[in-house]
Amino acid sequence: MLDKFREECGIFGVLGHQEAARIAYLGLYALQHRGQESAGIVSTDGHDLYRHTGMGYVAEIFTQSSLENLKGVTAIGHTRYSTAGESSIKNAQPILVSCSQGDLALCHNGNLVNALQVRRELEQAGSIFQSSSDSEVILHLIARSQKASIEEAITEALLQLNGAYSLIFLTQEKMIAVRDPRGFRPLSFGWLNDSPVLASETCAFDLIDAEFEREVGPGEMLTLSKGKVKSQKIFSSVSESFCIFEHVYFSRPDSQIFGKSVYESRHLLGRYLAQEHPVDGDVVLPVPDSGVAAAIGFSRESGIQFEFGLIRNHYVGRTFIEPKHAIRHFGVKIKLNPVVELIQGKRVVLVDDSIVRGTTSRKIVKMVRDAGAAEVHMRISCPPTISPCFYGVDTPTKKELIGSSHSVAEICKYIDADSLGYLSHEGMLRACGVPGGQGQGHFCSACYTGDYPVKFPEAALV
Ligand code: SF4
């Protein structure tokens, strides 16, 4: 997918390791795909907390000396794409505050649907906010709590908030992980030798040679301190709402999310897509990179040959300067280029993982036609996206999503494909779920159905 939904955030933590800051840096490096606007690490030596944040990529933000200044054996880190609050260094995380509970740092992945309302109430009561991030509300509520322990204060704060959150807190002595009662966003727990580690995705554990133990459960608080792991359920049980888009698009295919390999899910999405929307084709081409696993699944199921017929330039920055004289399909061409020899005269099946506004898909279809394709058939490995996300994924507004106002036939006409097929909702659930276990029937799929598991202000749905 090139006309993207923006990724959300990646969070990481390690406790009791001699090279905590460097391990956190590597963890964030593996989670870079979840956010590229800013990143940061807070570490502690048991007395003080040290913070370094910056704008841009993880590899640009941290240097040898900045990592050396992050002292101590425990560290948490965050990589961010803004889903609430503007893009600025003020909103970079981890957030670090001193309050009645002592020094406290926080990393948040997700989005709080009632943050604005709570923030207004707090401001009226005299609170002063330093950022426009929804995450800061959590710290204000903790700071106001009269509870004796940090765990109780966190629980009291979170009981006043709704929405999606996977959180890692850091104090001088402890690292505390919490996942919201519905478990929208993933959070995994593992071990690096004797040091407990936490990460949004298991691919971060692979890089540091840590062993995945389990996911932090929905509604679970996991308190990690020297030699101790304490688990408690802090909310009454509600039905789970794991974000299915983590499997369809966001997470790395080499991660295990919600009890299942993301690669396996994407492969099955492609297989079921081929079963539901068969087509006579000569070659299956993925729209790289996120469409690759589904395209392989489609190819295996249909028996149509798979080829990398669109080559992606991985080094495109955020902006580029256009030439004065127009180049055909410039915006797409800077990222993708067709291999003419694989396309010329062929009936091409293009596999992608979504159509957002339709403009990019239209350009890609045109590019493949211009490369000499006899026919272009588009296949999408999920249902049409019809509604925005309020739980931590940055989506266009409802009216900008082509699926919200156009039928499949109209979208097909708009993108100028010979045929268009979307995977059914049932097929998507079947591909991403674990039969008889965690997953199937426990997903949020609101951006495909408009059926939102947690209420949000109506005015937001425009
Ligand atoms: S609305 Fe879509 S992107 Fe947002 S949490 Fe639900 S499934 Fe995920």
Side-chain angles (χ1 to χ4, degrees):
M1 186 204 305
L2 290 169
D3 182 12
K4 298 238 180 244
F5 293 102
R6 302 277 171 79
E7 292 88 342
E8 334 115 337
C9 299
I11 58 177
F12 183 88
V14 55
L15 181 129
H17 194 283
Q18 288 307 321
E19 289 195 281
R22 278 167 206 273
I23 296 293
Y25 165 78
L26 289 174
L28 294 184
Y29 200 83
L31 298 172
Q32 182 76 83
H33 60 289
R34 297 182 71 87
Q36 297 98 40
E37 274 188 2
S38 63
I41 294 175
V42 169
S43 69
T44 183
D45 53 11
H47 302 286
D48 295 305
L49 269 64
Y50 307 88
R51 180 175 187 256
H52 183 82
T53 60
M55 300 298 289
Y57 291 112
V58 173
E60 296 158 1
I61 292 167
F62 298 97
T63 59
Q64 289 282 0
S65 76
S66 64
L67 288 172
E68 268 152 32
N69 291 335
L70 290 164
K71 298 186 187 109
V73 294
T74 300
I76 62 171
H78 188 270
T79 179
R80 179 171 197 268
Y81 178 80
S82 59
T83 52
E86 70 218 61
S87 165
S88 102
I89 189 69
K90 273 195 300 187
N91 286 332
Q93 294 192 21
I95 310 174
L96 174 60
V97 294
S98 289
C99 63
S100 52
Q101 298 286 344
D103 289 347
L104 181 63
L106 164 68
C107 297
H108 173 203
N109 174 203
N111 189 45
L112 304 169
V113 293
N114 65 336
L116 204 58
Q117 185 196 334
V118 175
R119 180 181 172 128
R120 285 200 184 119
E121 288 162 14
L122 289 169
E123 281 174 336
Q124 274 163 12
S127 292
I128 297 167
F129 282 77
Q130 289 177 358
S131 72
S132 58
S133 146
D134 62 333
S135 318
E136 199 183 339
V137 171
I138 305 171
L139 291 173
H140 275 266
L141 291 174
I142 293 170
R144 291 164 67 94
S145 173
Q146 303 295 315
K147 298 286 183 190
S149 75
I150 183 67
E151 287 93 335
E152 288 171 305
I154 291 171
T155 306
E156 188 179 60
L158 295 178
L159 284 169
Q160 299 169 65
L161 295 166
N162 297 321
Y165 50 84
S166 284
L167 306 166
I168 307 178
F169 295 91
L170 181 70
T171 70
Q172 280 98 333
E173 302 93 31
K174 298 175 186 171
M175 192 161 73
I176 301 168
V178 188
R179 206 162 148 216
D180 70 71
R182 291 182 179 271
F184 280 99
R185 302 277 146 239
L187 187 58
S188 286
F189 168 58
W191 293 92
L192 174 53
N193 302 320
D194 295 333
S195 302
V197 284
L198 296 157
S200 294
E201 291 184 38
T202 58
C203 63
F205 293 167
D206 298 338
L207 180 62
I208 59 169
D209 266 343
E211 203 163 311
F212 169 62
E213 182 170 311
R214 66 177 178 90
E215 295 188 5
V216 178
E220 181 181 9
M221 175 184 277
L222 204 57
T223 305
L224 308 166
S225 54
K226 203 172 173 197
K228 284 196 209 137
V229 176
K230 182 178 153 204
S231 163
Q232 48 186 324
K233 267 271 185 201
I234 59 169
F235 306 105
S236 41
S237 287
V238 290
S239 35
E240 292 151 347
S241 302
F242 306 137
C243 170
I244 204 158
F245 216 39
E246 293 277 354
H247 271 284
V248 173
Y249 168 67
F250 285 127
S251 295
R252 267 180 37 172
D254 49 339
S255 287
Q256 300 275 334
I257 297 286
F258 311 139
K260 185 167 186 184
S261 148
V262 175
Y263 185 90
E264 195 185 327
S265 291
R266 290 197 189 148
H267 189 89
L268 285 174
L269 289 165
R271 276 197 183 269
Y272 297 158
L273 182 61
Q275 289 170 8
E276 291 185 15
H277 296 283
V279 58
D280 286 329
D282 301 311
V283 65
V284 172
L285 309 184
V287 176
D289 292 322
S290 50
V292 172
I296 292 171
F298 193 102
S299 164
R300 295 263 166 85
E301 187 68 24
S302 63
I304 304 169
Q305 191 176 331
F306 172 93
E307 295 285 359
F308 278 107
L310 294 170
I311 304 302
R312 180 160 181 196
N313 181 345
H314 287 96
Y315 306 99
V316 181
R318 242 160 280 241
T319 54
F320 38 78
I321 300 154
E322 292 209 27
K324 286 199 181 119
H325 297 288
I327 294 175
R328 278 178 309 141
H329 329 305
F330 183 77
V332 171
K333 225 174 190 173
I334 195 98
K335 294 176 191 159
L336 285 185
N337 200 33
V339 182
V340 174
E341 294 70 21
L342 296 173
I343 293 174
Q344 217 158 30
K346 304 264 176 69
R347 295 169 299 172
V348 172
V349 184
L350 274 176
V351 178
D352 202 352
D353 50 22
S354 62
I355 297 178
V356 186
R357 295 175 178 85
T359 44
T360 303
S361 304
R362 185 183 158 102
K363 286 179 191 160
I364 293 171
V365 170
K366 173 105 173 54
M367 180 190 271
V368 174
R369 283 200 194 285
D370 287 354
E375 294 171 15
V376 184
H377 301 273
M378 183 68 102
R379 294 293 180 269
I380 304 296
S381 60
C382 60
T385 314
I386 60 163
S387 243
C389 176
F390 296 94
Y391 311 129
V393 173
D394 186 49
T395 44
T397 60
K398 189 170 175 71
K399 64 176 180 239
E400 288 173 303
L401 293 165
I402 192 168
S404 73
S405 54
H406 292 68
S407 67
V408 174
E410 286 168 338
I411 298 170
C412 182
K413 195 168 170 207
Y414 176 73
I415 65 171
D416 193 29
D418 291 288
S419 73
L420 170 64
Y422 284 90
L423 183 64
S424 65
H425 188 247
E426 194 278 327
M428 176 177 70
L429 289 177
R430 200 154 52 93
C432 299
V434 181
Q438 189 188 35
Q440 202 164 21
H442 301 274
F443 285 113
C444 171
S445 55
C447 45
Y448 304 110
T449 61
D451 186 8
Y452 290 93
V454 171
K455 289 209 171 1
F456 53 87
E458 275 297 307
L461 193 62
V462 286

